[in-house]
Amino acid sequence: MNKLKVMTVFGTRPEAIKMAPLALELTRHPEFEALCCVTAQHREMLDSVLDIFRLKPDFDLDIMEPRQTLSTITSKCLTGMDRVLEEAKPDLVLVHGDTSTTFAGALAAFYHKIPVGHVEAGLRTFDKWSPYPEEMNRKMVGAIADLHFCPTASNRDNLARENITQGVFLTGNTVIDALQTTVVRHFSFGEHILNHLDYDSRKVILVTCHRRENYGQPMANIMTALRRVADAFPDTELVYPVHPSPVVQETAHKYLDGHPRIHLIAPLAVDEMHNLMSRCHLVMTDSGGLQEEAPALGKPVLVLRRETERPEAVAAGTVRLAGVEEVSIFQMTSRLLSDQREYDSMAHAANPYGDGQACRRIADAIAWQFGLRMNPPEEFRGQ
Ligand code: UD1
Ligand code: UDP
């Protein structure tokens, strides 16, 4: 039997976390020849994920440079992908989400007339500038892609509004597949401070903040609010694994250094992150992925942004938008920390994003679409 050559392409930490389980799933299906190309838009953060999932890429463009711009990432990915696609000649290229790697990977495949599958398709804020540049990246990839793997029904509705109705599959999000392999009851952290925190008597707040549209004043507001929270609530411990971007590093250290209960630590390996999340009291973040993971673990999330492309967990009551102003962030956090009923109303497990079967559905959908399987894949129906 002629195998279908399917190439996964990714480059940043969140893409790797959400694509690694799929890349591995594809290797388990005899009808596919699975190839993996990383752009290494991120280096250490990508390698950490590859190590944990024991995934060895077939191609590595190694493009990362300090303070890289959107144009350099895109152009280096595009020319690097040219060579890879020429050599490997895949039948299908799979990209994920909304990064510069995603856009350049899809565009390169299009230039080579290779079909594109978009994993995590259909997320929208309808604001071109926020998240920046991700909202435009996902719209442009949506226009290029032939197959669209939507995590939720509302993602599918978003595509329908853009007249994208062919090749659309409702699969759930692969991040829930990843989460199911990482969280364990007894976990020993490599980051020692995390082994010594008292998760029962202290309120451990997990913080992440890295988005480009938050650079500058919004990020300064966020950091000021975090320090106020730590000062006002002596029973809190803030743990903030700081993204290696120099802009983020400088801002976080400028505003948060020197506080005895604010712990600025290096980015965590994904298993450490998921196990910390499962033990913490509250998550404060501008990350997309954390908004999907924390609800599955029953942890309330305050989103440090003005909008979200992930309204499902807001509707489920586990996620709230805190904005990017010092006052709104401080007030919303204070309320959650001092009002137990308010906290309890948010702290319930909700799983609008997946059931751990997304990768299998995506593999089945590809096989069906290419005539290698009789039946269409079952749909994700929510939990
Ligand atoms: C990128 C994505 C964003 C995603 C985020 C996840 C784009 C435009 N943005 O943003 O959608 O949410 O990744 O984290 O694609 N760096 C290192 N080591 C690493 C990774 C990054 O040193 O392992 C530093 C480098 O100096 C690099 C900088 O971080 O230049 C910024 O990385 P970049 O990929 O450009 O942007 P992110 O903010 O990470
Ligand atoms: N993450 C991690 N270590 C960290 C911070 C985040 O493993 O120190 C994981 C997190 O659990 C989630 C993903 O990285 O799966 C989210 O990535 P990020 O916040 O960088 O990007 P986004 O999701 O906002 O695009």
Side-chain angles (χ1 to χ4, degrees):
M1 177 176 84
N2 264 352
K3 293 190 176 218
L4 188 81
K5 255 194 203 185
V6 183
M7 178 182 276
T8 47
V9 177
F10 51 92
T12 66
R13 170 175 65 194
E15 294 166 81
I17 292 169
K18 293 166 165 180
M19 283 293 254
L22 177 58
L24 294 172
E25 174 76 27
L26 293 172
T27 63
R28 290 191 281 269
H29 289 243
E31 64 271 39
F32 301 135
E33 178 184 344
L35 294 171
C36 174
C37 172
V38 294
T39 65
Q41 175 179 335
H42 287 172
R43 189 68 273 176
E44 311 88 272
M45 297 205 300
L46 172 76
D47 292 343
S48 162
V49 181
L50 295 174
D51 279 353
I52 285 170
F53 286 94
R54 296 200 182 88
L55 187 62
K56 290 207 186 323
D58 302 285
F59 302 91
D60 188 335
L61 304 184
D62 197 23
I63 67 150
M64 193 191 88
E65 51 189 72
R67 292 181 196 266
Q68 56 202 1
T69 66
L70 300 176
S71 306
T72 56
I73 305 170
T74 307
S75 54
K76 285 171 93 173
C77 285
L78 201 54
T79 48
M81 285 303 300
D82 252 350
R83 290 192 301 276
V84 169
L85 296 176
E86 198 56 51
E87 182 185 329
K89 299 195 181 346
D91 300 303
L92 175 68
V93 164
L94 296 178
V95 295
H96 179 278
D98 53 21
T99 71
S100 295
T101 287
T102 315
F103 170 55
L107 188 61
F110 170 67
Y111 285 164
H112 287 256
K113 300 193 174 161
I114 297 169
V116 173
H118 188 198
V119 180
E120 196 173 284
L123 280 68
R124 298 287 185 271
T125 60
F126 306 101
D127 178 350
K128 176 178 173 177
W129 298 106
S130 190
Y132 170 81
E134 289 82 1
E135 177 73 0
M136 280 310 288
N137 282 344
R138 50 200 176 211
K139 285 185 77 170
M140 294 188 289
V141 174
I144 291 172
D146 305 278
L147 302 178
H148 311 261
F149 304 109
C150 296
T152 71
S154 80
N155 302 148
R156 184 172 59 183
D157 295 344
N158 289 340
L159 291 184
R161 272 185 221 113
E162 294 170 15
N163 293 323
I164 300 173
T165 53
Q166 299 298 307
V168 178
F169 299 92
L170 183 50
T171 60
N173 196 309
T174 59
V175 78
I176 305 298
D177 301 30
L179 198 58
Q180 290 187 345
T181 66
T182 50
V183 179
V184 292
R185 186 189 286 264
H186 301 290
F187 186 83
S188 180
F189 291 96
E191 175 67 58
H192 289 301
I193 175 101
L194 302 180
N195 287 324
H196 297 115
L197 285 175
D198 184 342
Y199 296 91
D200 296 323
S201 67
R202 294 293 182 130
K203 290 178 174 161
V204 174
I205 303 179
L206 168 60
V207 177
T208 77
C209 182
H210 73 279
R211 303 222 74 84
R212 274 176 198 258
E213 72 273 11
N214 278 340
Y215 283 7
Q217 194 58 49
M219 207 171 272
N221 298 344
I222 291 167
M223 302 299 155
T224 309
L226 292 173
R227 200 169 180 114
R228 258 181 88 186
V229 168
D231 283 339
F233 295 89
D235 60 344
T236 56
E237 301 276 349
L238 274 63
V239 180
Y240 178 3
V242 186
H243 188 293
S245 159
V247 181
V248 180
Q249 287 280 339
E250 283 159 18
T251 316
H253 285 284
K254 176 174 168 196
Y255 287 91
L256 301 176
D257 266 352
H259 195 290
R261 283 177 294 96
I262 299 180
H263 310 282
L264 300 185
I265 59 175
L268 289 168
V270 61
D271 54 345
E272 306 242 321
M273 183 57 163
H274 287 171
N275 282 284
L276 173 60
M277 210 184 298
S278 77
R279 287 159 178 73
C280 77
H281 183 75
L282 170 66
V283 176
M284 297 175 72
T285 189
D286 67 357
S287 160
L290 268 79
Q291 290 178 60
E292 296 155 345
E293 295 160 342
L297 296 169
K299 303 299 173 178
V301 181
L302 293 179
V303 178
L304 305 170
R305 289 170 52 178
R306 291 199 179 89
E307 38 45 43
T308 179
E309 58 290 273
R310 294 168 169 89
E312 298 84 355
V314 177
T318 62
V319 169
R320 281 183 196 164
L321 281 178
V324 292
E325 303 301 332
E326 181 193 332
V327 173
S328 66
I329 296 167
F330 179 74
Q331 285 179 346
M332 285 183 81
T333 316
S334 300
R335 199 157 158 220
L336 268 190
L337 290 173
S338 42
D339 184 337
Q340 189 62 38
R341 281 177 57 186
E342 190 74 17
Y343 178 85
D344 290 342
S345 74
M346 286 184 80
H348 55 267
N351 238 336
Y353 298 111
D355 58 359
Q357 300 296 316
C359 294
R360 185 181 52 75
R361 291 192 189 97
I362 293 169
D364 288 350
I366 295 169
W368 184 65
Q369 194 77 23
F370 281 83
L372 304 172
R373 178 189 148 100
M374 300 286 279
N375 305 319
E378 48 138 11
E379 282 197 341
F380 170 57
R381 296 195 185 282
Q383 289 202 310

